[in-house]
Amino acid sequence: VCVLHWAIEPRPVVIMEEQEMQLKVKKVTDKLTESMYVLANEPSVALYRLQEHVRRSLPELAQHKADMQNWEEQSQGAVYTVEYACSAIRSMTYSREYFKSIEGLLKQTISTKEQMGSAPGRSTLAPQAPCPSPSA
């Protein structure tokens, strides 16, 4: 509503207060409408962006997970192989005594054979050395 006043001059004078008030009210309502629109749509935009990110990232992450599981299986196999090899080497070090005993028995057998070959009439064998016990 515009109020016209006739002053001394023949032109009408419009009261500026009402126009200014209407302009301020329009600005406030526009800002309020814009704020409500942003508040109403912001969560959906954020969820949309999140969904797009997951859609793009998920296949790559799944491939990385599969690769890591494959590498884990391979490394578990390698660890098992190394542990088995270490166990075999440990058991070989414990078998040194047995090999020494076998060596002694072989030397004794060779010596006995040589004695039997040099004296065909002799049937007496040289006394055998006792075998070491496995726990020694």
Side-chain angles (χ1 to χ4, degrees), residues 4 7 10 26-27 31 38 55 64 76 79 81 93 95 109 115 119 135-136:
L4 299 176
K26 183 168 178 18
K27 283 183 182 180
K31 289 288 185 184
V38 168
R55 186 182 60 79
H64 283 304
Q76 286 293 333
V79 166
T81 302
T93 58
S95 63
T109 304
Q115 287 177 1
S135 60

mmCIF file of all heavy atoms in Angstrom, residues 4 7 10 26-27 31 38 55 64 76 79 81 93 95 109 115 119 135-136:
data_model
loop_
_atom_site.group_PDB
_atom_site.id
_atom_site.type_symbol
_atom_site.label_atom_id
_atom_site.label_comp_id
_atom_site.label_asym_id
_atom_site.label_seq_id
_atom_site.Cartn_x
_atom_site.Cartn_y
_atom_site.Cartn_z
ATOM 1 N N LEU A 4 0.189 8.387 -0.818
ATOM 2 C CA LEU A 4 0.617 9.556 -1.586
ATOM 3 C C LEU A 4 0.257 10.827 -0.809
ATOM 4 O O LEU A 4 -0.816 10.958 -0.250
ATOM 5 C CB LEU A 4 -0.077 9.593 -2.940
ATOM 6 C CG LEU A 4 0.209 8.405 -3.854
ATOM 7 C CD1 LEU A 4 -0.624 8.537 -5.118
ATOM 8 C CD2 LEU A 4 1.678 8.348 -4.200
ATOM 9 N N ALA A 7 2.482 17.650 -1.695
ATOM 10 C CA ALA A 7 3.233 18.698 -1.032
ATOM 11 C C ALA A 7 3.004 20.003 -1.783
ATOM 12 O O ALA A 7 2.130 20.104 -2.618
ATOM 13 C CB ALA A 7 4.713 18.343 -1.021
ATOM 14 N N PRO A 10 3.734 20.063 -7.238
ATOM 15 C CA PRO A 10 2.640 19.302 -7.808
ATOM 16 C C PRO A 10 2.901 17.784 -7.890
ATOM 17 O O PRO A 10 2.011 17.040 -8.237
ATOM 18 C CB PRO A 10 2.494 19.888 -9.197
ATOM 19 C CG PRO A 10 3.733 20.624 -9.488
ATOM 20 C CD PRO A 10 4.355 20.957 -8.197
ATOM 21 N N LYS A 26 10.638 -8.763 2.288
ATOM 22 C CA LYS A 26 10.869 -9.650 1.146
ATOM 23 C C LYS A 26 12.254 -10.280 1.238
ATOM 24 O O LYS A 26 12.413 -11.482 0.992
ATOM 25 C CB LYS A 26 10.723 -8.878 -0.163
ATOM 26 C CG LYS A 26 10.888 -9.769 -1.389
ATOM 27 C CD LYS A 26 10.461 -9.047 -2.613
ATOM 28 C CE LYS A 26 10.610 -9.792 -3.890
ATOM 29 N NZ LYS A 26 10.757 -11.181 -3.906
ATOM 30 N N LYS A 27 13.264 -9.513 1.620
ATOM 31 C CA LYS A 27 14.617 -10.057 1.766
ATOM 32 C C LYS A 27 14.654 -11.126 2.858
ATOM 33 O O LYS A 27 15.252 -12.196 2.685
ATOM 34 C CB LYS A 27 15.618 -8.951 2.095
ATOM 35 C CG LYS A 27 16.020 -8.108 0.928
ATOM 36 C CD LYS A 27 17.073 -7.102 1.348
ATOM 37 C CE LYS A 27 17.471 -6.197 0.219
ATOM 38 N NZ LYS A 27 18.481 -5.214 0.622
ATOM 39 N N LYS A 31 15.505 -15.041 2.242
ATOM 40 C CA LYS A 31 16.605 -15.706 2.959
ATOM 41 C C LYS A 31 16.101 -16.896 3.753
ATOM 42 O O LYS A 31 16.731 -17.951 3.798
ATOM 43 C CB LYS A 31 17.313 -14.721 3.908
ATOM 44 C CG LYS A 31 18.125 -13.667 3.224
ATOM 45 C CD LYS A 31 19.363 -14.280 2.630
ATOM 46 C CE LYS A 31 20.235 -13.177 2.038
ATOM 47 N NZ LYS A 31 21.398 -13.704 1.377
ATOM 48 N N VAL A 38 17.938 -25.166 1.674
ATOM 49 C CA VAL A 38 19.252 -25.768 1.899
ATOM 50 C C VAL A 38 19.172 -26.821 2.995
ATOM 51 O O VAL A 38 19.711 -27.926 2.852
ATOM 52 C CB VAL A 38 20.298 -24.677 2.241
ATOM 53 C CG1 VAL A 38 21.579 -25.290 2.768
ATOM 54 C CG2 VAL A 38 20.586 -23.819 1.028
ATOM 55 N N ARG A 55 29.957 -46.382 -4.172
ATOM 56 C CA ARG A 55 29.784 -47.109 -5.430
ATOM 57 C C ARG A 55 31.080 -47.133 -6.239
ATOM 58 O O ARG A 55 31.440 -48.127 -6.841
ATOM 59 C CB ARG A 55 28.669 -46.470 -6.258
ATOM 60 C CG ARG A 55 28.319 -47.249 -7.534
ATOM 61 C CD ARG A 55 27.242 -46.547 -8.345
ATOM 62 N NE ARG A 55 27.594 -45.222 -8.776
ATOM 63 C CZ ARG A 55 28.395 -44.945 -9.815
ATOM 64 N NH1 ARG A 55 28.941 -45.907 -10.503
ATOM 65 N NH2 ARG A 55 28.653 -43.699 -10.143
ATOM 66 N N HIS A 64 41.310 -55.154 -3.383
ATOM 67 C CA HIS A 64 42.429 -55.070 -2.433
ATOM 68 C C HIS A 64 42.275 -56.132 -1.340
ATOM 69 O O HIS A 64 43.265 -56.753 -0.941
ATOM 70 C CB HIS A 64 42.514 -53.680 -1.800
ATOM 71 C CG HIS A 64 43.117 -52.644 -2.688
ATOM 72 N ND1 HIS A 64 44.368 -52.774 -3.258
ATOM 73 C CD2 HIS A 64 42.647 -51.447 -3.112
ATOM 74 C CE1 HIS A 64 44.637 -51.715 -3.987
ATOM 75 N NE2 HIS A 64 43.603 -50.886 -3.921
ATOM 76 N N GLN A 76 51.495 -67.540 4.644
ATOM 77 C CA GLN A 76 51.303 -68.623 5.609
ATOM 78 C C GLN A 76 51.961 -69.909 5.095
ATOM 79 O O GLN A 76 52.594 -70.636 5.862
ATOM 80 C CB GLN A 76 49.806 -68.877 5.852
ATOM 81 C CG GLN A 76 49.134 -67.814 6.690
ATOM 82 C CD GLN A 76 49.626 -67.798 8.122
ATOM 83 O OE1 GLN A 76 50.060 -68.812 8.647
ATOM 84 N NE2 GLN A 76 49.578 -66.638 8.754
ATOM 85 N N VAL A 79 55.720 -69.511 5.521
ATOM 86 C CA VAL A 79 56.091 -69.664 6.934
ATOM 87 C C VAL A 79 56.093 -71.144 7.312
ATOM 88 O O VAL A 79 57.017 -71.626 7.983
ATOM 89 C CB VAL A 79 55.128 -68.854 7.838
ATOM 90 C CG1 VAL A 79 55.269 -69.257 9.289
ATOM 91 C CG2 VAL A 79 55.378 -67.369 7.678
ATOM 92 N N THR A 81 56.597 -73.666 5.308
ATOM 93 C CA THR A 81 57.745 -74.297 4.654
ATOM 94 C C THR A 81 59.034 -74.015 5.418
ATOM 95 O O THR A 81 59.858 -74.920 5.631
ATOM 96 C CB THR A 81 57.865 -73.788 3.204
ATOM 97 O OG1 THR A 81 56.644 -74.080 2.521
ATOM 98 C CG2 THR A 81 59.016 -74.434 2.473
ATOM 99 N N THR A 93 70.753 -82.255 13.206
ATOM 100 C CA THR A 93 71.827 -82.023 14.176
ATOM 101 C C THR A 93 71.742 -83.038 15.308
ATOM 102 O O THR A 93 72.770 -83.451 15.851
ATOM 103 C CB THR A 93 71.779 -80.595 14.751
ATOM 104 O OG1 THR A 93 70.520 -80.381 15.367
ATOM 105 C CG2 THR A 93 72.004 -79.559 13.671
ATOM 106 N N SER A 95 70.786 -86.069 14.913
ATOM 107 C CA SER A 95 71.114 -87.398 14.378
ATOM 108 C C SER A 95 72.611 -87.588 14.172
ATOM 109 O O SER A 95 73.042 -88.645 13.704
ATOM 110 C CB SER A 95 70.377 -87.632 13.066
ATOM 111 O OG SER A 95 70.810 -86.698 12.108
ATOM 112 N N THR A 109 82.767 -103.353 10.299
ATOM 113 C CA THR A 109 82.377 -104.362 9.322
ATOM 114 C C THR A 109 83.442 -104.510 8.242
ATOM 115 O O THR A 109 83.794 -105.630 7.837
ATOM 116 C CB THR A 109 81.019 -103.994 8.689
ATOM 117 O OG1 THR A 109 80.057 -103.826 9.709
ATOM 118 C CG2 THR A 109 80.561 -105.063 7.728
ATOM 119 N N GLN A 115 89.657 -108.937 7.588
ATOM 120 C CA GLN A 115 90.241 -110.020 8.383
ATOM 121 C C GLN A 115 89.787 -111.378 7.853
ATOM 122 O O GLN A 115 90.565 -112.322 7.782
ATOM 123 C CB GLN A 115 89.856 -109.902 9.855
ATOM 124 C CG GLN A 115 90.549 -108.786 10.564
ATOM 125 C CD GLN A 115 90.068 -108.653 12.011
ATOM 126 O OE1 GLN A 115 89.223 -109.425 12.469
ATOM 127 N NE2 GLN A 115 90.631 -107.690 12.717
ATOM 128 N N ALA A 119 92.524 -114.222 6.216
ATOM 129 C CA ALA A 119 92.688 -115.522 6.870
ATOM 130 C C ALA A 119 91.455 -116.362 6.589
ATOM 131 O O ALA A 119 90.460 -116.281 7.322
ATOM 132 C CB ALA A 119 92.888 -115.341 8.358
ATOM 133 N N SER A 135 69.885 -91.664 23.717
ATOM 134 C CA SER A 135 69.621 -90.560 24.642
ATOM 135 C C SER A 135 70.898 -89.844 25.049
ATOM 136 O O SER A 135 70.849 -88.796 25.654
ATOM 137 C CB SER A 135 68.913 -91.075 25.901
ATOM 138 O OG SER A 135 69.735 -92.034 26.550
ATOM 139 N N ALA A 136 72.060 -90.373 24.701
ATOM 140 C CA ALA A 136 73.341 -89.774 25.129
ATOM 141 C C ALA A 136 73.691 -88.582 24.312
ATOM 142 O O ALA A 136 73.351 -88.222 23.322
ATOM 143 C CB ALA A 136 74.469 -90.787 25.040
#
